[in-house]
Amino acid sequence: MSFTQPGQLVGAGLIGLVVAYLLARLGYSDLPTLPVFSGVTLLLVALIELVLALVLRPRVLRKPGTEPVESLTAARAVALAKASSLAGAIMTGCWLGLLGYLLPMLEVVHAARQDTLTAIIGAISAAALIASGLWLEHVLRNPDDPEEPDEPEE
């Protein structure tokens, strides 16, 4: 399994942004006002991953008094980290796409003000999910593996 690349996250975020913007253009007038804290669930998942990373880090580094991480547990946590960073990128794009639709109409549509706050909270929460996913993935790197692949000798 390869580590998450920035291009993967940027691509997923751009897809989310375009889709959310287009959907907002097509159907925003039919939606009810968004709950202000609807994006906070992503922040809760990010906090859970942060705690998981804090618990697993000493075990991965084989600190004295800690039990080593089982390989299946590490693999599951890496899968969670990769999925979370990708989901966070998609949702950041979605919230930014909605924000891009709402900002020009702030003065015209009353509901756009509250929905703008919702989009900002959601984007921040989704960005936190990206960060926690990437950090958890970093924490789970095998300390015995070299950071950079060795260059072949000539």
Side-chain angles (χ1 to χ4, degrees):
M1 184 182 308
S2 64
F3 296 106
T4 304
Q5 301 297 316
Q8 295 169 332
L9 298 178
V10 170
L14 287 174
I15 290 170
L17 186 141
V18 169
V19 169
Y21 182 81
L22 292 175
L23 288 175
R25 283 188 59 104
L26 290 173
Y28 181 75
S29 61
D30 296 332
L31 292 175
T33 303
L34 299 173
V36 175
F37 295 109
S38 59
V40 173
T41 54
L42 300 175
L43 186 60
L44 294 175
V45 175
L47 290 174
I48 291 168
E49 285 191 9
L50 177 68
V51 170
L52 182 61
L54 292 172
V55 168
L56 290 178
R57 187 168 193 210
R59 294 176 62 190
V60 169
L61 296 175
R62 298 181 185 111
K63 298 279 184 181
T66 62
E67 184 178 321
V69 179
E70 293 180 24
S71 57
L72 185 58
T73 302
R76 287 178 178 166
V78 168
L80 172 68
K82 288 180 72 70
S84 295
S85 61
L86 188 60
I90 292 168
M91 289 309 299
T92 299
C94 288
W95 287 116
L96 291 177
L98 180 62
L99 196 59
Y101 176 76
L102 293 173
L103 286 178
M105 52 197 292
L106 273 177
E107 300 300 322
V108 180
V109 179
H110 178 69
R113 288 190 202 120
Q114 180 180 341
D115 288 346
T116 299
L117 176 62
T118 302
I120 291 169
I121 292 170
I124 291 169
S125 298
L129 184 59
I130 296 170
S132 67
L134 290 175
W135 191 57
L136 179 59
E137 187 177 338
H138 174 76
V139 163
L140 291 166
R141 290 182 185 212
N142 188 346
D144 296 334
D145 289 344
E147 287 294 317
E148 296 293 324
D150 291 334
E151 294 292 323
E153 293 183 23
E154 296 177 19

